[in-house]
Amino acid sequence: MSASRRRGTTDELGPDEPERPGPEGPEGPDGSDLLAALLDGMDAALCAFDADGVVTHWNREAERILGWTAAEAVGRHGFTGWAVREADAGEIEGRLTAAMRAPGRQVHEFALLTKDGGRVLVRTQSAAVRGPDGRPAGLYCAFSEVHTQIDLERSIALSEALFADASWGVVLVDADLRPAVVNAHAARALGTGRTAALGRPLGDLLTRGVEELENALTHVLSEGAPPAPAELWVGVRTPDGEKRRCWRSGFVRLASPLAEEPVPLGVGWLFQDVTEAKQVEQEAALLRFRTNQLHRASRAAAECEDPAEAVTVHLDFALAGFADHAVIDRVAGAPRADGEPDAPPRLVRVAATPSGGPGPSVLTGHAGLPVGYGEGHPALQCVTRAGSVRASAGKVAPDRAREWARTRQWPEDTVHALCAVLRSRGRTLGVVTFLRTAGRTAFERSDATYAEDVAVRTAAALDLAGVAGPAGSGDGA
């Protein structure tokens, strides 16, 4: 027996008609075979009753849930005596009868009996089937297990919530790596509207990090979701220019549940902006590293018999991860004490790092000849102000940047400089200058703080070495 009555039985919903060849010829499927195939292929359980309440259709999903086959179900009068308990029969029959008279679909929940005597709580949708005259000719009833229905509703509710008011960004990316759905949070993070982002290449939405993001999406499409979230640095266009953001991203591959084999529909991309947390983390790590460098430099300098050697030790430890070159210039003659007349200072080179390649700092300037810094040079400003000075070539052509460095007597690849004053015993001994090439960012206030810490230790070693000469002697070391 199939999901519906076969020919030779009375069916109030679809009385038998003479045999007619189907579209495939005399042996092709007819209307009842097609109906049976459709009913058996449904994901929901379905049964139907005629106007007298007799079961006329029963599909395979109904058989799976309750255990009653179509042959056992079709022809029975209602559910009483086999699919419901006697105590529940009156209420359930009344609901079904009311649904036959009511307009539209009626939704109910009640317990049905399985063939082995168990009970299954189901959610039903019932509606009347009307004949040509508009009068009820029967009733169909689609049902599913309540927990299955709840799971479906939860999935739908979760999707709606994610795309409505989730506190993290959610983007569905299709197989062509273009956004197909964008929630409100993600649209704000991308600086665009929810519909404006749809179908556009990711390169139109982000200025940086596009290749890394596309590689991640491609990997998920081919290999599946990664085992842990990934932190991606991207550039986002804003009215104030580009902003770098760090998004902690999770990815899931989306496959069609209707296909026999998984067919990738795209990737679900969920992300949170963790820029501030990452910056705090990076700053903390940088602070720990620099503190360790200062500690190691002090330990190493304490073992130097020659205080002048300790000057270069402090300089070498400070360079690691901080700058590409560094020079130390002392004040020619006696150190500058506070309150002395503001005579133009003259500086003599004391130590410098090799400009042609890596290597330890070396002591220089034994002849005591002043460095020919021009007026307004950052090192001279630093000595005059007794405070740190930052300088940068800015965004200029490479040839102009080289000329900028040459005029200041720094290595030609220099584009950023930071001068920190060397102070000891209330006197200005000189200046230490840290230099960065184009591969690094400009010096910031936190960098100046670190440079000043290095300068304090360097100045103590320089003073101990007597490189600046005895106070008031006017002689160099």
mmCIF file of all heavy atoms in Angstrom, residues 81-126:
data_model
loop_
_atom_site.group_PDB
_atom_site.id
_atom_site.type_symbol
_atom_site.label_atom_id
_atom_site.label_comp_id
_atom_site.label_asym_id
_atom_site.label_seq_id
_atom_site.Cartn_x
_atom_site.Cartn_y
_atom_site.Cartn_z
ATOM 1 N N GLY A 81 -8.621 4.723 18.887
ATOM 2 C CA GLY A 81 -8.462 3.284 18.975
ATOM 3 C C GLY A 81 -7.145 2.760 18.453
ATOM 4 O O GLY A 81 -6.863 1.563 18.604
ATOM 5 N N TRP A 82 -6.333 3.604 17.865
ATOM 6 C CA TRP A 82 -5.047 3.087 17.362
ATOM 7 C C TRP A 82 -3.915 4.124 17.470
ATOM 8 O O TRP A 82 -2.794 3.780 17.822
ATOM 9 C CB TRP A 82 -5.175 2.616 15.918
ATOM 10 C CG TRP A 82 -5.550 3.704 14.928
ATOM 11 C CD1 TRP A 82 -6.756 4.304 14.820
ATOM 12 C CD2 TRP A 82 -4.694 4.299 13.954
ATOM 13 N NE1 TRP A 82 -6.729 5.264 13.837
ATOM 14 C CE2 TRP A 82 -5.469 5.259 13.271
ATOM 15 C CE3 TRP A 82 -3.379 4.109 13.576
ATOM 16 C CZ2 TRP A 82 -4.960 6.037 12.244
ATOM 17 C CZ3 TRP A 82 -2.869 4.864 12.539
ATOM 18 C CH2 TRP A 82 -3.647 5.824 11.879
ATOM 19 N N ALA A 83 -4.165 5.396 17.183
ATOM 20 C CA ALA A 83 -3.085 6.390 17.179
ATOM 21 C C ALA A 83 -3.197 7.393 18.312
ATOM 22 O O ALA A 83 -2.308 8.237 18.466
ATOM 23 C CB ALA A 83 -3.045 7.141 15.844
ATOM 24 N N VAL A 84 -4.275 7.331 19.106
ATOM 25 C CA VAL A 84 -4.396 8.200 20.268
ATOM 26 C C VAL A 84 -4.972 7.388 21.420
ATOM 27 O O VAL A 84 -5.636 6.369 21.224
ATOM 28 C CB VAL A 84 -5.301 9.429 20.003
ATOM 29 C CG1 VAL A 84 -4.716 10.303 18.905
ATOM 30 C CG2 VAL A 84 -6.714 8.993 19.651
ATOM 31 N N ARG A 85 -4.707 7.858 22.656
ATOM 32 C CA ARG A 85 -5.293 7.206 23.816
ATOM 33 C C ARG A 85 -6.784 7.500 23.881
ATOM 34 O O ARG A 85 -7.256 8.531 23.396
ATOM 35 C CB ARG A 85 -4.619 7.706 25.098
ATOM 36 C CG ARG A 85 -3.154 7.357 25.222
ATOM 37 C CD ARG A 85 -2.660 7.651 26.615
ATOM 38 N NE ARG A 85 -3.048 8.996 27.082
ATOM 39 C CZ ARG A 85 -2.870 9.413 28.323
ATOM 40 N NH1 ARG A 85 -2.331 8.605 29.232
ATOM 41 N NH2 ARG A 85 -3.240 10.635 28.671
ATOM 42 N N GLU A 86 -7.509 6.605 24.499
ATOM 43 C CA GLU A 86 -8.955 6.809 24.635
ATOM 44 C C GLU A 86 -9.254 8.106 25.376
ATOM 45 O O GLU A 86 -10.201 8.818 25.056
ATOM 46 C CB GLU A 86 -9.578 5.622 25.381
ATOM 47 C CG GLU A 86 -9.565 4.318 24.603
ATOM 48 C CD GLU A 86 -10.470 4.372 23.377
ATOM 49 O OE1 GLU A 86 -11.391 5.221 23.370
ATOM 50 O OE2 GLU A 86 -10.259 3.593 22.452
ATOM 51 N N ALA A 87 -8.423 8.423 26.384
ATOM 52 C CA ALA A 87 -8.674 9.633 27.173
ATOM 53 C C ALA A 87 -8.482 10.903 26.346
ATOM 54 O O ALA A 87 -9.081 11.939 26.645
ATOM 55 C CB ALA A 87 -7.735 9.654 28.386
ATOM 56 N N ASP A 88 -7.617 10.827 25.316
ATOM 57 C CA ASP A 88 -7.357 12.014 24.507
ATOM 58 C C ASP A 88 -8.190 12.050 23.240
ATOM 59 O O ASP A 88 -8.171 13.060 22.512
ATOM 60 C CB ASP A 88 -5.873 12.046 24.107
ATOM 61 C CG ASP A 88 -4.957 12.101 25.318
ATOM 62 O OD1 ASP A 88 -5.394 12.637 26.346
ATOM 63 O OD2 ASP A 88 -3.800 11.620 25.214
ATOM 64 N N ALA A 89 -8.884 10.970 22.916
ATOM 65 C CA ALA A 89 -9.535 10.851 21.618
ATOM 66 C C ALA A 89 -10.558 11.950 21.384
ATOM 67 O O ALA A 89 -10.614 12.568 20.308
ATOM 68 C CB ALA A 89 -10.186 9.481 21.487
ATOM 69 N N GLY A 90 -11.409 12.210 22.381
ATOM 70 C CA GLY A 90 -12.456 13.210 22.187
ATOM 71 C C GLY A 90 -11.898 14.586 21.871
ATOM 72 O O GLY A 90 -12.364 15.269 20.954
ATOM 73 N N GLU A 91 -10.897 14.999 22.638
ATOM 74 C CA GLU A 91 -10.319 16.333 22.421
ATOM 75 C C GLU A 91 -9.655 16.438 21.048
ATOM 76 O O GLU A 91 -9.854 17.421 20.322
ATOM 77 C CB GLU A 91 -9.287 16.629 23.510
ATOM 78 C CG GLU A 91 -8.616 17.992 23.354
ATOM 79 C CD GLU A 91 -7.512 18.203 24.372
ATOM 80 O OE1 GLU A 91 -7.307 17.296 25.218
ATOM 81 O OE2 GLU A 91 -6.856 19.266 24.303
ATOM 82 N N ILE A 92 -8.920 15.407 20.660
ATOM 83 C CA ILE A 92 -8.206 15.453 19.378
ATOM 84 C C ILE A 92 -9.189 15.409 18.217
ATOM 85 O O ILE A 92 -9.054 16.158 17.237
ATOM 86 C CB ILE A 92 -7.186 14.307 19.310
ATOM 87 C CG1 ILE A 92 -6.081 14.530 20.357
ATOM 88 C CG2 ILE A 92 -6.584 14.200 17.919
ATOM 89 C CD1 ILE A 92 -5.092 13.396 20.458
ATOM 90 N N GLU A 93 -10.173 14.550 18.305
ATOM 91 C CA GLU A 93 -11.177 14.481 17.235
ATOM 92 C C GLU A 93 -11.900 15.817 17.108
ATOM 93 O O GLU A 93 -12.209 16.283 16.004
ATOM 94 C CB GLU A 93 -12.175 13.361 17.517
ATOM 95 C CG GLU A 93 -11.594 11.962 17.470
ATOM 96 C CD GLU A 93 -11.232 11.516 16.070
ATOM 97 O OE1 GLU A 93 -11.676 12.176 15.101
ATOM 98 O OE2 GLU A 93 -10.485 10.542 15.933
ATOM 99 N N GLY A 94 -12.195 16.441 18.242
ATOM 100 C CA GLY A 94 -12.859 17.739 18.198
ATOM 101 C C GLY A 94 -11.993 18.798 17.516
ATOM 102 O O GLY A 94 -12.507 19.627 16.752
ATOM 103 N N ARG A 95 -10.694 18.778 17.781
ATOM 104 C CA ARG A 95 -9.802 19.745 17.131
ATOM 105 C C ARG A 95 -9.753 19.530 15.622
ATOM 106 O O ARG A 95 -9.787 20.482 14.837
ATOM 107 C CB ARG A 95 -8.404 19.630 17.714
ATOM 108 C CG ARG A 95 -8.269 20.122 19.146
ATOM 109 C CD ARG A 95 -6.838 19.998 19.615
ATOM 110 N NE ARG A 95 -6.669 20.452 20.995
ATOM 111 C CZ ARG A 95 -5.504 20.466 21.632
ATOM 112 N NH1 ARG A 95 -4.407 20.033 21.006
ATOM 113 N NH2 ARG A 95 -5.433 20.883 22.868
ATOM 114 N N LEU A 96 -9.689 18.268 15.216
ATOM 115 C CA LEU A 96 -9.643 17.980 13.782
ATOM 116 C C LEU A 96 -10.954 18.367 13.096
ATOM 117 O O LEU A 96 -10.958 18.923 11.995
ATOM 118 C CB LEU A 96 -9.341 16.503 13.556
ATOM 119 C CG LEU A 96 -7.945 16.037 14.016
ATOM 120 C CD1 LEU A 96 -7.777 14.543 13.807
ATOM 121 C CD2 LEU A 96 -6.847 16.793 13.261
ATOM 122 N N THR A 97 -12.054 18.065 13.755
ATOM 123 C CA THR A 97 -13.348 18.432 13.171
ATOM 124 C C THR A 97 -13.497 19.945 13.067
ATOM 125 O O THR A 97 -14.003 20.478 12.058
ATOM 126 C CB THR A 97 -14.493 17.850 14.025
ATOM 127 O OG1 THR A 97 -14.342 16.438 14.127
ATOM 128 C CG2 THR A 97 -15.842 18.179 13.417
ATOM 129 N N ALA A 98 -13.029 20.672 14.099
ATOM 130 C CA ALA A 98 -13.104 22.131 14.054
ATOM 131 C C ALA A 98 -12.227 22.691 12.942
ATOM 132 O O ALA A 98 -12.592 23.686 12.297
ATOM 133 C CB ALA A 98 -12.689 22.707 15.406
ATOM 134 N N ALA A 99 -11.083 22.070 12.714
ATOM 135 C CA ALA A 99 -10.192 22.552 11.652
ATOM 136 C C ALA A 99 -10.833 22.399 10.287
ATOM 137 O O ALA A 99 -10.567 23.183 9.369
ATOM 138 C CB ALA A 99 -8.862 21.796 11.705
ATOM 139 N N MET A 100 -11.689 21.395 10.110
ATOM 140 C CA MET A 100 -12.363 21.196 8.824
ATOM 141 C C MET A 100 -13.350 22.321 8.549
ATOM 142 O O MET A 100 -13.610 22.671 7.392
ATOM 143 C CB MET A 100 -13.060 19.836 8.804
ATOM 144 C CG MET A 100 -13.590 19.432 7.430
ATOM 145 S SD MET A 100 -14.363 17.802 7.436
ATOM 146 C CE MET A 100 -13.007 16.751 7.923
ATOM 147 N N ARG A 101 -13.884 22.919 9.594
ATOM 148 C CA ARG A 101 -14.857 24.000 9.410
ATOM 149 C C ARG A 101 -14.222 25.383 9.449
ATOM 150 O O ARG A 101 -14.790 26.342 8.952
ATOM 151 C CB ARG A 101 -15.931 23.909 10.500
ATOM 152 C CG ARG A 101 -16.753 22.646 10.467
ATOM 153 C CD ARG A 101 -17.939 22.766 11.405
ATOM 154 N NE ARG A 101 -17.522 22.988 12.785
ATOM 155 C CZ ARG A 101 -17.322 22.028 13.677
ATOM 156 N NH1 ARG A 101 -17.508 20.759 13.330
ATOM 157 N NH2 ARG A 101 -16.943 22.309 14.905
ATOM 158 N N ALA A 102 -13.018 25.496 10.042
ATOM 159 C CA ALA A 102 -12.399 26.816 10.234
ATOM 160 C C ALA A 102 -11.653 27.244 8.968
ATOM 161 O O ALA A 102 -11.168 26.413 8.197
ATOM 162 C CB ALA A 102 -11.420 26.773 11.414
ATOM 163 N N PRO A 103 -11.569 28.560 8.745
ATOM 164 C CA PRO A 103 -10.793 29.042 7.597
ATOM 165 C C PRO A 103 -9.289 28.974 7.896
ATOM 166 O O PRO A 103 -8.852 29.136 9.039
ATOM 167 C CB PRO A 103 -11.260 30.493 7.445
ATOM 168 C CG PRO A 103 -11.656 30.899 8.826
ATOM 169 C CD PRO A 103 -12.219 29.660 9.475
ATOM 170 N N GLY A 104 -8.497 28.762 6.884
ATOM 171 C CA GLY A 104 -7.041 28.769 7.042
ATOM 172 C C GLY A 104 -6.532 27.558 7.792
ATOM 173 O O GLY A 104 -7.241 26.565 7.992
ATOM 174 N N ARG A 105 -5.262 27.638 8.212
ATOM 175 C CA ARG A 105 -4.624 26.525 8.905
ATOM 176 C C ARG A 105 -4.779 26.661 10.417
ATOM 177 O O ARG A 105 -4.763 27.759 10.952
ATOM 178 C CB ARG A 105 -3.134 26.464 8.554
ATOM 179 C CG ARG A 105 -2.854 26.086 7.117
ATOM 180 C CD ARG A 105 -1.357 26.013 6.879
ATOM 181 N NE ARG A 105 -0.712 27.313 7.097
ATOM 182 C CZ ARG A 105 0.595 27.495 7.062
ATOM 183 N NH1 ARG A 105 1.401 26.479 6.830
ATOM 184 N NH2 ARG A 105 1.104 28.698 7.263
ATOM 185 N N GLN A 106 -4.909 25.534 11.065
ATOM 186 C CA GLN A 106 -4.998 25.483 12.511
ATOM 187 C C GLN A 106 -3.782 24.718 13.051
ATOM 188 O O GLN A 106 -3.426 23.657 12.521
ATOM 189 C CB GLN A 106 -6.276 24.772 12.951
ATOM 190 C CG GLN A 106 -7.544 25.397 12.391
ATOM 191 C CD GLN A 106 -7.762 26.805 12.935
ATOM 192 O OE1 GLN A 106 -7.723 27.006 14.151
ATOM 193 N NE2 GLN A 106 -7.989 27.757 12.044
ATOM 194 N N VAL A 107 -3.137 25.279 14.069
ATOM 195 C CA VAL A 107 -1.946 24.658 14.650
ATOM 196 C C VAL A 107 -2.279 24.148 16.043
ATOM 197 O O VAL A 107 -2.838 24.885 16.870
ATOM 198 C CB VAL A 107 -0.771 25.670 14.715
ATOM 199 C CG1 VAL A 107 0.461 25.020 15.356
ATOM 200 C CG2 VAL A 107 -0.436 26.183 13.323
ATOM 201 N N HIS A 108 -1.941 22.893 16.284
ATOM 202 C CA HIS A 108 -2.207 22.274 17.581
ATOM 203 C C HIS A 108 -1.024 21.409 17.978
ATOM 204 O O HIS A 108 -0.221 20.997 17.130
ATOM 205 C CB HIS A 108 -3.474 21.404 17.542
ATOM 206 C CG HIS A 108 -4.712 22.145 17.159
ATOM 207 N ND1 HIS A 108 -5.346 23.025 18.001
ATOM 208 C CD2 HIS A 108 -5.436 22.138 16.003
ATOM 209 C CE1 HIS A 108 -6.410 23.530 17.402
ATOM 210 N NE2 HIS A 108 -6.488 23.013 16.180
ATOM 211 N N GLU A 109 -0.949 21.121 19.267
ATOM 212 C CA GLU A 109 0.015 20.161 19.772
ATOM 213 C C GLU A 109 -0.740 19.116 20.590
ATOM 214 O O GLU A 109 -1.551 19.466 21.448
ATOM 215 C CB GLU A 109 1.075 20.841 20.661
ATOM 216 C CG GLU A 109 2.055 21.701 19.909
ATOM 217 C CD GLU A 109 3.158 22.262 20.807
ATOM 218 O OE1 GLU A 109 3.188 21.887 22.000
ATOM 219 O OE2 GLU A 109 3.952 23.078 20.321
ATOM 220 N N PHE A 110 -0.482 17.852 20.297
ATOM 221 C CA PHE A 110 -1.067 16.777 21.087
ATOM 222 C C PHE A 110 -0.216 15.526 20.933
ATOM 223 O O PHE A 110 0.699 15.470 20.087
ATOM 224 C CB PHE A 110 -2.531 16.505 20.715
ATOM 225 C CG PHE A 110 -2.797 16.386 19.246
ATOM 226 C CD1 PHE A 110 -2.437 15.245 18.536
ATOM 227 C CD2 PHE A 110 -3.434 17.418 18.571
ATOM 228 C CE1 PHE A 110 -2.694 15.150 17.180
ATOM 229 C CE2 PHE A 110 -3.690 17.319 17.216
ATOM 230 C CZ PHE A 110 -3.329 16.187 16.515
ATOM 231 N N ALA A 111 -0.488 14.534 21.752
ATOM 232 C CA ALA A 111 0.303 13.303 21.777
ATOM 233 C C ALA A 111 -0.380 12.236 20.935
ATOM 234 O O ALA A 111 -1.597 12.014 21.036
ATOM 235 C CB ALA A 111 0.474 12.808 23.206
ATOM 236 N N LEU A 112 0.402 11.547 20.097
ATOM 237 C CA LEU A 112 -0.065 10.404 19.318
ATOM 238 C C LEU A 112 0.622 9.153 19.812
ATOM 239 O O LEU A 112 1.706 9.203 20.408
ATOM 240 C CB LEU A 112 0.228 10.613 17.833
ATOM 241 C CG LEU A 112 -0.481 11.782 17.144
ATOM 242 C CD1 LEU A 112 -0.076 11.862 15.678
ATOM 243 C CD2 LEU A 112 -2.002 11.644 17.257
ATOM 244 N N LEU A 113 -0.013 8.031 19.550
ATOM 245 C CA LEU A 113 0.539 6.742 19.949
ATOM 246 C C LEU A 113 1.313 6.117 18.808
ATOM 247 O O LEU A 113 0.872 6.135 17.649
ATOM 248 C CB LEU A 113 -0.582 5.787 20.372
ATOM 249 C CG LEU A 113 -1.299 6.083 21.700
ATOM 250 C CD1 LEU A 113 -2.396 5.062 21.928
ATOM 251 C CD2 LEU A 113 -0.315 6.067 22.853
ATOM 252 N N THR A 114 2.467 5.544 19.126
ATOM 253 C CA THR A 114 3.219 4.786 18.124
ATOM 254 C C THR A 114 2.697 3.352 18.101
ATOM 255 O O THR A 114 1.954 2.919 18.998
ATOM 256 C CB THR A 114 4.716 4.792 18.437
ATOM 257 O OG1 THR A 114 4.927 4.157 19.713
ATOM 258 C CG2 THR A 114 5.252 6.215 18.511
ATOM 259 N N LYS A 115 3.115 2.623 17.107
ATOM 260 C CA LYS A 115 2.630 1.251 16.954
ATOM 261 C C LYS A 115 3.063 0.371 18.118
ATOM 262 O O LYS A 115 2.339 -0.560 18.504
ATOM 263 C CB LYS A 115 3.143 0.687 15.640
ATOM 264 C CG LYS A 115 2.579 -0.677 15.290
ATOM 265 C CD LYS A 115 3.064 -1.126 13.923
ATOM 266 C CE LYS A 115 2.471 -2.504 13.570
ATOM 267 N NZ LYS A 115 2.923 -2.961 12.234
ATOM 268 N N ASP A 116 4.236 0.703 18.693
ATOM 269 C CA ASP A 116 4.724 -0.123 19.809
ATOM 270 C C ASP A 116 4.223 0.371 21.165
ATOM 271 O O ASP A 116 4.694 -0.073 22.213
ATOM 272 C CB ASP A 116 6.250 -0.179 19.806
ATOM 273 C CG ASP A 116 6.875 1.207 19.915
ATOM 274 O OD1 ASP A 116 6.130 2.186 20.125
ATOM 275 O OD2 ASP A 116 8.108 1.308 19.761
ATOM 276 N N GLY A 117 3.285 1.323 21.166
ATOM 277 C CA GLY A 117 2.668 1.766 22.401
ATOM 278 C C GLY A 117 3.274 3.017 23.012
ATOM 279 O O GLY A 117 2.782 3.485 24.048
ATOM 280 N N GLY A 118 4.300 3.566 22.428
ATOM 281 C CA GLY A 118 4.883 4.785 22.956
ATOM 282 C C GLY A 118 4.068 6.017 22.598
ATOM 283 O O GLY A 118 3.138 5.954 21.792
ATOM 284 N N ARG A 119 4.399 7.114 23.223
ATOM 285 C CA ARG A 119 3.699 8.367 22.942
ATOM 286 C C ARG A 119 4.677 9.360 22.332
ATOM 287 O O ARG A 119 5.837 9.466 22.763
ATOM 288 C CB ARG A 119 3.102 8.962 24.219
ATOM 289 C CG ARG A 119 2.050 8.096 24.869
ATOM 290 C CD ARG A 119 1.467 8.789 26.072
ATOM 291 N NE ARG A 119 0.579 9.874 25.711
ATOM 292 C CZ ARG A 119 0.305 10.915 26.495
ATOM 293 N NH1 ARG A 119 0.874 11.012 27.676
ATOM 294 N NH2 ARG A 119 -0.524 11.844 26.103
ATOM 295 N N VAL A 120 4.236 10.115 21.340
ATOM 296 C CA VAL A 120 5.047 11.119 20.668
ATOM 297 C C VAL A 120 4.272 12.422 20.657
ATOM 298 O O VAL A 120 3.115 12.468 20.191
ATOM 299 C CB VAL A 120 5.379 10.711 19.214
ATOM 300 C CG1 VAL A 120 6.184 11.807 18.533
ATOM 301 C CG2 VAL A 120 6.139 9.398 19.193
ATOM 302 N N LEU A 121 4.877 13.468 21.203
ATOM 303 C CA LEU A 121 4.249 14.786 21.172
ATOM 304 C C LEU A 121 4.531 15.415 19.810
ATOM 305 O O LEU A 121 5.684 15.556 19.402
ATOM 306 C CB LEU A 121 4.809 15.672 22.283
ATOM 307 C CG LEU A 121 4.165 17.054 22.440
ATOM 308 C CD1 LEU A 121 2.690 16.911 22.806
ATOM 309 C CD2 LEU A 121 4.920 17.876 23.478
ATOM 310 N N VAL A 122 3.465 15.765 19.095
ATOM 311 C CA VAL A 122 3.607 16.303 17.740
ATOM 312 C C VAL A 122 2.953 17.672 17.668
ATOM 313 O O VAL A 122 2.069 18.012 18.458
ATOM 314 C CB VAL A 122 2.978 15.360 16.681
ATOM 315 C CG1 VAL A 122 3.663 14.006 16.692
ATOM 316 C CG2 VAL A 122 1.475 15.210 16.904
ATOM 317 N N ARG A 123 3.414 18.445 16.716
ATOM 318 C CA ARG A 123 2.788 19.723 16.387
ATOM 319 C C ARG A 123 2.152 19.563 15.015
ATOM 320 O O ARG A 123 2.832 19.162 14.059
ATOM 321 C CB ARG A 123 3.802 20.846 16.378
ATOM 322 C CG ARG A 123 3.206 22.203 16.008
ATOM 323 C CD ARG A 123 4.219 23.317 16.193
ATOM 324 N NE ARG A 123 4.597 23.453 17.597
ATOM 325 C CZ ARG A 123 5.509 24.321 18.027
ATOM 326 N NH1 ARG A 123 6.131 25.102 17.166
ATOM 327 N NH2 ARG A 123 5.799 24.401 19.309
ATOM 328 N N THR A 124 0.873 19.872 14.913
ATOM 329 C CA THR A 124 0.134 19.639 13.668
ATOM 330 C C THR A 124 -0.303 20.961 13.050
ATOM 331 O O THR A 124 -0.542 21.949 13.749
ATOM 332 C CB THR A 124 -1.116 18.778 13.926
ATOM 333 O OG1 THR A 124 -2.015 19.511 14.761
ATOM 334 C CG2 THR A 124 -0.741 17.475 14.597
ATOM 335 N N GLN A 125 -0.386 20.929 11.739
ATOM 336 C CA GLN A 125 -1.018 22.006 10.975
ATOM 337 C C GLN A 125 -2.122 21.365 10.148
ATOM 338 O O GLN A 125 -1.851 20.508 9.301
ATOM 339 C CB GLN A 125 -0.011 22.699 10.056
ATOM 340 C CG GLN A 125 1.067 23.456 10.805
ATOM 341 C CD GLN A 125 1.929 24.273 9.857
ATOM 342 O OE1 GLN A 125 1.446 24.755 8.834
ATOM 343 N NE2 GLN A 125 3.192 24.420 10.203
ATOM 344 N N SER A 126 -3.352 21.760 10.422
ATOM 345 C CA SER A 126 -4.505 21.145 9.761
ATOM 346 C C SER A 126 -5.275 22.201 8.983
ATOM 347 O O SER A 126 -5.378 23.359 9.417
ATOM 348 C CB SER A 126 -5.422 20.477 10.792
ATOM 349 O OG SER A 126 -4.690 19.554 11.584
#
